[in-house]
Amino acid sequence: MRHIFTGTSAVTAVVNASNTDNRFVVTDISNPSNVSAVYVTAPFDSGDAEGCVVDCDGKLAAVGSYQTGNVAIYDLSNPAQPSQQSVISTGFAGIGAISLDGTLLLVGEAKGPQVALIDVSDPTNPSILSSQAFSGLGAESIPGLTGIGLRGLV
């Protein structure tokens, strides 16, 4: 559960995704007597059952494709109508893990031991700041990353 800030009030929302569907759901629970959910289809189409991972922070959500290395950025200022801002390619063979903290986004490759740090300070024009493939200490045997965390990086 993350807080999505809309104007001067905070809306608590739950954002979920599936590894077999390229849709994600934004569930607005700010009014417990009137919970609403919006399904959003991410712009990924590899021809296979797509699947996606998602994280949100502030007014943004980042959605990564399990089958391609693409990441879509969404504006959640209006949780009832999430708005796609951009799509960036990491060059990875799928996104298996994603973590958004402020204007920085960390993504992990689904089919290999690589990570990328992405600047989303301009959600309409994200840019890759750094990319790293891990090696040594058995990293070559890692089939892919399924969990990743980014908090408090300055």
Side-chain angles (χ1 to χ4, degrees), residues 59-79:
K59 295 180 182 181
L60 295 180
V63 184
S65 165
Y66 273 130
Q67 299 296 324
T68 70
N70 293 336
V71 176
I73 308 298
Y74 284 83
D75 181 345
L76 301 180
S77 295
N78 179 354

Side-chain angles (χ1 to χ4, degrees), residues 16-66:
N16 299 330
S18 166
N19 63 356
T20 60
D21 192 334
N22 68 332
R23 294 178 299 165
F24 66 100
V25 62
V26 178
T27 306
D28 183 348
I29 58 173
S30 60
N31 180 353
S33 63
N34 188 23
V35 174
S36 63
V38 175
Y39 286 86
V40 181
T41 302
F44 312 130
D45 186 10
S46 67
D48 296 324
E50 191 64 46
C52 61
V53 292
V54 64
D55 194 18
C56 66
D57 190 36
K59 295 180 182 181
L60 295 180
V63 184
S65 165
Y66 273 130

Side-chain angles (χ1 to χ4, degrees), residues 25-140:
V25 62
V26 178
T27 306
D28 183 348
I29 58 173
S30 60
N31 180 353
S33 63
N34 188 23
V35 174
S36 63
V38 175
Y39 286 86
V40 181
T41 302
F44 312 130
D45 186 10
S46 67
D48 296 324
E50 191 64 46
C52 61
V53 292
V54 64
D55 194 18
C56 66
D57 190 36
K59 295 180 182 181
L60 295 180
V63 184
S65 165
Y66 273 130
Q67 299 296 324
T68 70
N70 293 336
V71 176
I73 308 298
Y74 284 83
D75 181 345
L76 301 180
S77 295
N78 179 354
Q81 294 182 320
S83 171
Q84 182 185 320
Q85 301 298 296
S86 60
V87 175
I88 185 170
S89 174
T90 63
F92 293 170
I95 303 297
I98 198 161
S99 182
L100 180 61
D101 188 35
T103 62
L104 294 175
L105 174 65
L106 186 63
V107 297
E109 185 176 22
K111 300 170 185 151
Q114 295 187 84
V115 296
L117 183 64
I118 302 171
D119 178 359
V120 294
S121 57
D122 177 357
T124 64
N125 189 27
S127 62
I128 295 175
L129 297 174
S130 178
S131 184
Q132 178 67 46
F134 296 102
S135 62
L137 301 174
E140 294 80 7

